[in-house]
Amino acid sequence: MPISMLSRLAGLCAGLALCLAPSVQAAIDGAQIAAGQPGVNWLSYGRTYSEQRFSPLEQIDRESVGRLGLAWAMDVPEATSLVSTPLVKDGVIYFSASFSVVYAVDARSGKTLWRFDPQVTAAFRAHNPARQRMYWGMNRGLAMWGDKVFVGTGDGRLIGIDMASGKQVWSTQTTDPETHAQITGAPLAFNGKVLIGFGGADNGPLRGYVTAYDAETGKQAWRFHTVPGNPADGFENQAMAMAAKTWTGEWWKHGGGGTAWNSLTYDPQFNRVYIGTGNGAPWNRKIRSPGGGDNLFLSSIVALDADTGAYAWHYQTTPGEQWDYNSAMDMVLAELTIDGQPRQVLMHAPKNGFFYVLDRATGKLISAEKLGKVTWAERIDLATGRPVEVPGARYESGEALIWPGPPGRHSWHPMSFNPDTGLVYIPTLDIPGYYNDKGIDPLTWQHKRNTYAFGVNVDAGDIPKDAGSSALVAWDPLAQRERWRRPTAGAWPGGTLSTAGGLVFQGQADGHLVAFDAATGETRWQFQAQRGISAPPISYSVDGRQYVAVLVGWGGGGPLVGGSLFAQHGWSFRDGGRRLLTFALDAKGELPDTPHTPVVPLDRADLQLDAASVARGEALYATTCQTCHGHDAISGGGAPDLRASAMALYPQSLSAVVRDGALQAKGMPQFDELGDAELEAIYQYLRDRARAKQPSPPKLIAPEH
């Protein structure tokens, strides 16, 4: 029900040169989020419950966008990456930064009104320090309801924050703090509740679930598991009993996976929530479900009653998933005219490379086609809704090379839908995947906690620059075909925003924020932000003036994977440039110059390397360091490049950080179990990588579209 409670914001205006008006705001309710008119605010992750990321504002259009200039820039120097979607309410921007820190900012000037720090690294150290090893610090967004904003934390808490003061109102632990479950996605607020899931199934045994909490008190309302548990313990509901029939062996000992780490969508028309679920854990189905089976509800869309969490329907995009083909990508709601009849549909582009249109009332498949190169399956059978798989794709003979790879054809970077053009604008990737489980015994394999353990080898060596690419694709969901495509820089593009002004905005890996013509894909405007952009832009209006805002802070899986593919843009972790940028017509602001420090490996002429120690160090680096510092010790900018680190130049300083935990408070976990010989081997490997041939430094140039 709508919340009538009023929230006073007069305290926000104290000391500000520009006082926010009005000082009394209406509390956020579902009607405001659902309507989203006339586009002044941005109240939910996808602006409205439809998740269309479409702004009805049209002051900035195809013709006027050439006058777009920087209105203001707010530095966030403490951030490691900025990937979230800001929310806007009555002249205030709220956004989450690294380690779930939340800011409230004057939308006119960029002045910080308050800052809330949930002390995530301290929470890790207090409960289970080893969990920090697989946590990257990123957070993709917030939710609003009543007079509160909500954030999930890396250590598994959901926190309600007073919108006016920035003070914590309540906090609840949504996960077991002794496990490696972590929250990086945005909550979803609806009907006086806040829904949250979590991730981390690649790092140890986890059973996925989502939980709804009362928005006022933080008290649990309902919970739905996304995979079944041990049958001996009984099933929570009939849906779990049904799902268990699609698993074999003792899957519960491996957790199963299916975590809802990103996409949650509310449908007010049917009063349902849709859960996009993750991959299997481990990836290799031969281990977790040795007799085969679809393994529900992995890689699925699951529809639940919003009030009770009761199961309504599901659609599984990748039955028996074993390639990291998440369905945790955004789900967009719309009304499309199909065969002359209006249909309430859900559009979805998961990692597996197909674009799906589903009937929201029933969950039945309407259509599905390939977004680009897809080799693991020939097509989706419209009669059964199942993929027609290619023999060998499941690495039956021990190995397979297929498209797409684990990053997916479409990752978490949000797509947008423009009802004026009828097109969906999708950030797409073109990266193959190599899978090899030779030498892995499904009967004896064990999941090693706090390190990636997929049950399959996916490392075929460093990926050359020309083996991975990306593009912005304008997709027609009715015809199920591409209308236009524009190559984008590198292989990790940002999310998209489409507008009534006939534009599509997207940040790119090389630091450009670009405005494309929504109808043709022509580049209409671009701005060099001096650091890679992974976050999606938004648009809002204050005092009749339209703004476009985006967080700049190259981050997420790509920059952390590193290697030559993601390091090609030259972003150094130690450089600045992490900012919130806001643009408006005829604005004349100038971006402060951001020095770019080239990665120059350090060396010691007096050091003799031992080949056996280097080889051992390579293996240890892969299990302890590679997750953050990059493949082949080449950082993509998500963490320091250890080849060029003064800390890693001498074994004593390396030991102080790695084994003694000197930088734990800043996000660098402690590996106190490493012995002297192991640490020396890692040190030798880093020195060997520092002596290897280095690629030429890139130049920041405007893209050609």
Side-chain angles (χ1 to χ4, degrees), residues 235-243:
F235 299 115
E236 292 83 358
N237 48 52
Q238 288 300 313
M240 288 297 97
M242 173 186 69

Side-chain angles (χ1 to χ4, degrees), residues 248-326:
T248 60
E250 296 179 318
W251 71 85
W252 57 90
K253 293 183 177 180
H254 298 288
T259 53
W261 55 269
N262 184 54
S263 186
L264 307 170
T265 302
Y266 173 63
D267 186 342
Q269 183 167 353
F270 295 98
N271 194 36
R272 291 176 183 154
V273 291
Y274 304 115
I275 314 302
T277 68
N279 55 280
W283 294 5
N284 194 340
R285 188 179 61 169
K286 301 172 190 176
I287 297 172
R288 68 172 189 267
S289 189
D294 287 351
N295 293 183
L296 293 174
F297 296 106
L298 299 182
S299 300
S300 300
I301 297 170
V302 184
L304 307 175
D305 181 275
D307 294 330
T308 65
Y311 168 87
W313 57 257
H314 78 274
Y315 178 81
Q316 189 172 41
T317 58
T318 312
E321 191 283 321
Q322 64 181 80
W323 304 277
D324 193 31
Y325 285 168
N326 281 281

Side-chain angles (χ1 to χ4, degrees), residues 253 341 352:
K253 293 183 177 180
Q341 299 295 321
N352 73 10

Side-chain angles (χ1 to χ4, degrees), residues 627-670:
T627 296
C628 295
H629 294 281
H631 185 278
D632 211 27
I634 302 173
S635 171
D641 193 303
L642 298 181
R643 300 169 304 161
S645 171
M647 174 275 298
L649 188 58
Y650 294 95
Q652 298 89 339
S653 54
L654 184 68
S655 176
V657 172
V658 175
R659 191 160 57 185
D660 300 338
L663 297 180
Q664 251 189 306
K666 294 186 176 181
M668 170 61 199
Q670 182 180 16

Side-chain angles (χ1 to χ4, degrees), residues 32-43 46-48 50 52-61 417-420 497-503 538-541 546-547:
Q32 294 175 13
I33 299 174
Q37 295 296 335
V40 172
N41 295 320
W42 191 289
L43 301 177
R47 195 180 77 83
T48 69
S50 71
Q52 292 180 6
R53 292 182 175 267
F54 171 77
S55 171
L57 299 175
E58 51 189 359
Q59 190 179 93
I60 303 169
D61 61 19
F417 172 67
N418 188 321
D420 295 338
L497 159 73
S498 60
T499 75
L503 297 169
I538 66 164
S539 189
Y540 65 92
S541 178
Q546 182 183 356
Y547 295 83

